[in-house]
Amino acid sequence: MVSVLGFVVQLLTSVVDLVRIFVFEVLLGVDPITALSFLVGAALTTATVAYFAYLAAGALVNLLTGLGSSAREAPADRTAR
């Protein structure tokens, strides 16, 4: 049976191996134009996902707390004059 500590150690070493393999065998194994286009695509994808997560987090905060620019204001006193 695998322990939790063994799982975490294996997970961290796998992440390090994945980064090493990606940098040295994938990214540096192609011509510079291909590597640059891959990095630009990765940056655009990361920016899009981060922006969507920011919007989703803002909507969640607005839903739970009522804070935010779209929060409804208290109803104004509408007495006839």
Side-chain angles (χ1 to χ4, degrees):
M1 186 170 243
V2 178
S3 68
V4 174
L5 182 61
F7 172 73
V8 171
V9 168
Q10 183 66 33
L11 182 65
L12 292 176
T13 56
S14 294
V15 168
V16 171
D17 286 341
L18 179 67
V19 170
R20 183 187 54 79
I21 289 170
F22 174 75
V23 169
F24 292 114
E25 295 181 17
V26 175
L27 192 62
L28 297 178
V30 295
D31 62 301
I33 300 294
T34 303
L36 182 64
S37 66
F38 181 81
L39 291 176
V40 168
L44 290 173
T45 303
T46 301
T48 303
V49 169
Y51 185 68
F52 179 73
Y54 171 74
L55 291 177
L60 184 64
V61 167
N62 190 346
L63 176 70
L64 296 177
T65 64
L67 298 175
S69 63
S70 65
R72 297 183 183 181
E73 296 180 13
D77 186 21
R78 299 185 181 225
T79 57
R81 293 185 185 192

